[in-house]
Amino acid sequence: MTTITLSNKEIHAGNLILVNAKYPVQNVDGTDLTPATAEYPNILMMRKAANVFQLIFEKIGCSNEIVPVSGYRSANEQTKIYETSRQESGEDFTRKFVALPYHSEHQTGLAIDLGLKKDEIDFICPEFPYEGICDKFRRIAPHYGFIERYPSGKEQITGIAHEPWHFRYVGYPHSQIMIEKKLTLEEYIDFIKQFPGNGKRLLTHMNDKSIEVYYVMAAKGAKTTFSLPEKAVYLVSGNNIDGFIVTLWRNRNESY
C-alpha cells in the first residue's frame, strides 16, 4: 500500500469542490487558465476543463452553432457583474441568476456559460434550449465530465434559478453518476459520504476498468493521511467543506 498525506487546505481544491451561497471559493488563484476554444481567446477555463470541453465541441461539430459566453471570472469581474445586474435588472433577478463574489462557480475556472450563436446574446441568461445542437451538447457532456449545474426543480437545493446554459466540469465518472441519479453537486457531495474509505465504496465501470469512488473525512489538525494500493491510478478532490473524494481506477480482474 502507498500512504497519501494531504494538507487540509487541499479540501478547497479539485474538480468536485462545492461552491455556492454557503461555501465560498477559497484558493483559486487564476493560474493554469487557457481559452475554452481558440475562436474565443478571452473566455478562459482551467486547462483540464478546457481540454475536455474542446473534445466535446469536436465530437459534435458545434463551433458554428454554440458559443462560449462566460468562463473564468476574477473576484473583481464577479463583483462588477453582480453590481451591474443589480442596478439594471433589480435585486430579485440578480439573486436568482448571479452569485455573490467568492460564491460563484465561475471563479473556479471549472464553469462555463454557453449560448446559441446569434447576433445578440444575453450575457446573464443566454439562450440554450432543450432541442437541437444545444440538447445534443447537454446529452453528451456527462460522458466527458460536464454537468448542467442548475437544473429545473432543484432551485431550493442549489440556491440558483434554473440555468440551462451553465455547465460545470466535475470529471468522469462523477458526471455520469449525477445524471443517472438526478443529483445536483450539493446532493452528490452528501451522497458520496455514504461510501467512506474504510467501508463500502461506490463502484462503477468504464470499458475494462473498475472505478471506485469514496469519501475521506479530513482529520483534525493540518493533515489527512490515508492509504491506496501500490501504483494505483487515482484522483483526489476536496469537497470544499470537510473532506476529500477519492476516485480510484483498477483493472476489472485486479484483486483487492
Side-chain angles (χ1 to χ4, degrees), residues 78-144:
Q78 187 65 27
T79 300
K80 290 177 183 177
I81 291 168
Y82 188 90
E83 290 303 323
T84 299
S85 176
R86 195 166 61 86
Q87 293 168 14
E88 294 180 352
S89 301
E91 192 76 34
D92 289 344
F93 174 89
T94 300
R95 288 187 177 184
K96 286 181 180 179
F97 294 107
V98 185
L100 286 164
Y102 296 101
H103 295 269
S104 170
E105 286 199 328
H106 285 285
Q107 285 181 246
T108 68
L110 298 170
I112 190 162
D113 292 345
L114 302 174
L116 273 175
K117 190 172 186 178
K118 303 170 67 175
D119 291 338
E120 294 186 9
I121 299 175
D122 189 318
F123 180 78
I124 301 298
C125 299
E127 184 179 350
F128 204 77
Y130 288 89
E131 60 185 16
I133 193 67
C134 295
D135 206 44
K136 187 174 183 180
F137 178 94
R138 184 178 286 108
R139 287 184 282 107
I140 289 176
H143 297 289
Y144 290 82

Side-chain angles (χ1 to χ4, degrees), residues 13-221:
N15 298 339
L16 289 163
I17 55 171
L18 176 63
V19 174
N20 58 20
K22 187 175 180 180
Y23 300 106
V25 62
Q26 298 280 346
N27 63 353
V28 176
D29 58 10
T31 61
D32 199 30
L33 296 168
T34 193
T37 67
E39 294 81 3
Y40 294 86
N42 294 324
I43 308 295
L44 304 177
M45 299 186 77
M46 292 291 287
R47 188 175 302 276
K48 56 190 173 184
N51 290 343
V52 176
F53 179 76
Q54 290 166 18
L55 288 176
I56 305 173
F57 258 43
E58 292 173 8
K59 175 72 174 179
I60 64 176
C62 63
S63 59
N64 292 325
E65 299 174 83
I66 295 175
V67 297
V69 177
S70 182
Y72 170 78
R73 302 171 187 167
S74 67
N76 286 338
E77 288 174 312
Q78 187 65 27
T79 300
K80 290 177 183 177
I81 291 168
Y82 188 90
E83 290 303 323
T84 299
S85 176
R86 195 166 61 86
Q87 293 168 14
E88 294 180 352
S89 301
E91 192 76 34
D92 289 344
F93 174 89
T94 300
R95 288 187 177 184
K96 286 181 180 179
F97 294 107
V98 185
L100 286 164
Y102 296 101
H103 295 269
S104 170
E105 286 199 328
H106 285 285
Q107 285 181 246
T108 68
L110 298 170
I112 190 162
D113 292 345
L114 302 174
L116 273 175
K117 190 172 186 178
K118 303 170 67 175
D119 291 338
E120 294 186 9
I121 299 175
D122 189 318
F123 180 78
I124 301 298
C125 299
E127 184 179 350
F128 204 77
Y130 288 89
E131 60 185 16
I133 193 67
C134 295
D135 206 44
K136 187 174 183 180
F137 178 94
R138 184 178 286 108
R139 287 184 282 107
I140 289 176
H143 297 289
Y144 290 82
F146 278 87
I147 58 167
E148 182 184 316
R149 177 67 176 90
Y150 303 117
S152 177
K154 300 281 190 171
E155 292 86 351
Q156 293 300 314
I157 296 169
T158 65
I160 296 290
H162 178 210
E163 293 191 356
W165 56 83
H166 182 105
F167 291 84
R168 161 69 189 269
Y169 181 72
V170 294
Y172 190 92
H174 310 285
S175 53
Q176 194 64 42
I177 296 169
M178 288 186 215
I179 294 301
E180 289 173 358
K181 294 185 177 296
K182 299 181 179 179
L183 300 175
T184 62
L185 184 53
E186 284 83 358
E187 293 169 306
Y188 187 66
I189 294 296
D190 286 338
F191 172 70
I192 292 300
K193 290 182 180 180
Q194 301 176 40
F195 305 94
N198 58 357
K200 182 181 178 181
R201 299 178 180 185
L202 180 62
L203 184 64
T204 187
H205 301 285
M206 182 178 68
N207 299 325
D208 62 341
K209 300 293 184 182
S210 293
I211 308 173
E212 299 175 22
V213 181
Y214 58 95
Y215 166 74
V216 176
M217 179 181 290
K220 293 181 179 179

